[in-house]
Amino acid sequence: MVQNKQRALRVAIVGAGIGGLTAAAALHQRGIEVAVYERAAQMGEVGAGLQMGPNAVHVINALGIGEQFRKIAAEPGVRVSLNWNDGAVRVREQFKGPMQEKYGARYHTVHRSDVHQLLQSLVPENAIHTSAHCVAVENRESGAAMRFADGREIEADVVIGADGIHSAVQTAVFGTSPARFTNQICWRIILPMEELHRCADMLPVPLDGSEYTGWLGPTGHVLFYPLRNGELLNIFAGRVSQQWADENWAVPSPIADLLEAYAGWHPALLHILSKAKEANKWGIHDRDPLDRWVKGRIALLGDSAHPMMPTLAQGAAISMEDGYALARCLELGRSNPDAALATYEQERRPRATKVQLQARQQFENNQLVPAPPPLPVDWIYGYDVVNKPLKLAELA
């Protein structure tokens, strides 16, 4: 179906998370009419730290917010891997410098809400609609339609489901696909960086908070990395578990439960964890890769298409790649949205699937004793969605 060239292409996005807002910003940047529909009553991204590999930073720079981003992010100088029990150094490698040299962009760590606010600033305020709970979508002869819980209905040339692991769009178009509990539970904590500095004499190796530090054990791993130019210490504590499977990430957890989960780990780690005033705990879920992301004028993006384990720290980055690639494809195929969406699926589904599956494999490898070296990530970090050549798909 060829689009009428006399008016702008209209794209509706369900979900105003990082993937949805990246798509909206990149579409708006290209003069494509976009509207975002968010279920929550007000904008505001929950969460804690994010890792932005060079592949994600390419997108940030292309959107024109690189300078603002660097002001609110941190750039770890080195990556240090420590044994869970005695704190001995397993691996130490330089991050700052080599990342730019090898991949053409830096590696940053940042608060999720800060990234969310930056992306939101690129989308016209009147293009974002809150309290818009999408309950159904369908293809129509002239495009696609969305229906909301309050009975409202809107039509667009293209509808994008960026509404997360419980995607209403995915369910409506492709049917129910149950989430898989990955046997991993996690805690998220943010502390003032001073808490790390105060226990310097307890640490097995000198750490000043500028490092990306991982404590690796057979039953889990704990990550430390800086946020907001080193003002904050983000802690991600992952634990292997067969029992607790709640996937609501914002479940308050007693600090005593956290400390019990890491009993026997290095005293310095436990001391730092004990400084938490509050912690949220959740069960990690993903889904098996989908065979299709596109049906008619409806397409999936981000966690609605490929929820993945956090083992490679690529969930947000791959969603941002999706959003930018979608905009490039729709720009290339303005007059033929069907071909544009086919191009998008051909470009994105194989890559996201490969990352999904490697994240699972890395989780399994981390539990082996001794743990093997990390799986290769050059192919992840070295990918440049901004400049990758595109060719519009030929439809049968």
Side-chain angles (χ1 to χ4, degrees):
M1 188 187 308
V2 176
Q3 175 66 29
N4 184 342
K5 296 182 180 180
Q6 300 306 308
R7 64 169 174 81
L9 190 67
R10 294 178 301 181
V11 179
I13 298 173
V14 184
I18 285 178
L21 287 180
T22 299
L27 288 165
H28 178 67
Q29 195 177 59
R30 286 159 174 75
I32 295 173
E33 184 180 327
V34 63
V36 182
Y37 297 89
E38 167 57 40
R39 178 176 180 170
Q42 59 186 18
M43 293 291 286
E45 183 77 347
V46 299
L50 284 180
Q51 298 177 52
M52 295 276 100
N55 52 313
V57 175
H58 283 309
V59 175
I60 289 165
N61 290 335
L63 291 173
I65 53 175
E67 184 177 352
Q68 300 100 301
F69 174 79
R70 287 186 289 276
K71 289 178 180 177
I72 50 92
E75 183 179 8
V78 297
R79 181 175 77 91
V80 182
S81 179
L82 305 177
N83 282 341
W84 65 283
N85 50 0
D86 61 7
V89 176
R90 301 174 68 251
V91 178
R92 184 181 182 92
E93 62 177 331
Q94 190 71 23
F95 254 30
K96 193 171 184 177
M99 286 286 175
Q100 177 72 44
E101 293 166 11
K102 289 179 68 175
Y103 309 119
R106 301 177 182 185
Y107 195 106
H108 288 281
T109 53
V110 66
H111 200 295
R112 178 181 287 270
S113 66
D114 294 342
V115 177
H116 194 259
Q117 288 175 26
L118 272 182
L119 293 171
Q120 185 181 340
S121 72
L122 299 176
V123 183
E125 187 175 347
N126 62 4
I128 299 176
H129 308 274
T130 55
S131 298
H133 179 192
C134 177
V135 295
V137 294
E138 64 177 12
N139 281 294
R140 294 186 176 174
E141 184 178 353
S142 59
M146 307 161 53
R147 190 173 73 252
F148 299 96
D150 61 6
R152 288 180 298 155
E153 185 174 284
I154 67 101
E155 290 189 354
D157 298 305
V158 172
V159 168
I160 303 299
D163 48 340
I165 190 170
H166 296 301
S167 171
V169 177
Q170 191 235 338
T171 299
V173 177
F174 298 103
T176 302
S177 174
R180 181 190 75 107
F181 178 52
T182 62
N183 296 327
Q184 184 182 28
I185 59 174
C186 296
W187 287 264
R188 293 268 194 182
I189 300 162
I190 295 179
L191 295 175
M193 190 60 76
E194 288 78 6
E195 295 292 357
L196 181 69
H197 298 157
R198 288 192 184 105
C199 69
D201 57 342
M202 297 180 63
L203 292 166
V205 295
L207 298 175
D208 64 15
S210 66
E211 306 87 357
Y212 175 100
T213 304
W215 304 74
L216 184 62
T219 58
H221 65 286
V222 179
L223 302 179
F224 291 178
Y225 55 81
L227 302 178
R228 293 181 179 160
N229 282 313
E231 294 178 11
L232 301 174
L233 175 68
N234 185 80
I235 300 176
F236 173 98
R239 174 78 171 167
V240 179
S241 172
Q242 305 288 331
Q243 299 175 353
W244 193 82
D246 194 331
E247 63 182 311
N248 179 355
W249 101 270
V251 175
S253 172
I255 305 304
D257 290 357
L258 169 64
L259 296 176
E260 182 181 354
Y262 294 93
W265 286 50
H266 195 278
L269 171 64
L270 294 175
H271 179 78
I272 293 168
L273 294 180
S274 74
K275 296 301 179 181
K277 298 293 190 296
E278 60 181 16
N280 287 312
K281 171 185 174 185
W282 86 109
I284 300 294
H285 289 67
D286 68 4
R287 281 193 169 89
D288 291 334
L290 297 175
D291 293 329
R292 296 182 63 189
W293 288 13
V294 173
K295 186 173 182 181
R297 293 289 185 82
I298 302 170
L300 303 177
L301 177 157
D303 281 355
S304 58
H306 50 72
M308 61 183 67
M309 298 188 73
T311 329
L312 301 177
Q314 280 289 311
I318 298 300
S319 296
M320 293 178 75
E321 285 185 12
D322 289 349
Y324 201 88
L326 174 72
R328 289 188 66 202
C329 291
L330 287 171
E331 179 183 37
L332 184 65
R334 283 177 191 266
S335 61
N336 192 344
D338 301 282
L341 293 179
T343 306
Y344 165 72
E345 183 174 41
Q346 290 174 13
E347 287 290 321
R348 296 304 306 161
R349 193 172 64 83
R351 173 167 168 80
T353 295
K354 188 177 178 182
V355 178
Q356 250 185 315
L357 296 178
Q358 181 161 316
R360 286 184 180 182
Q361 186 60 57
Q362 188 63 66
F363 175 70
E364 298 297 331
N365 289 2
N366 288 348
Q367 297 172 56
L368 300 177
V369 181
L375 294 169
V377 292
D378 281 359
W379 66 275
I380 299 178
Y381 295 164
Y383 187 91
D384 184 359
V385 72
V386 174
N387 295 302
K388 188 178 186 297
L390 283 180
K391 181 181 178 182
L392 196 65
E394 296 182 6
L395 301 179

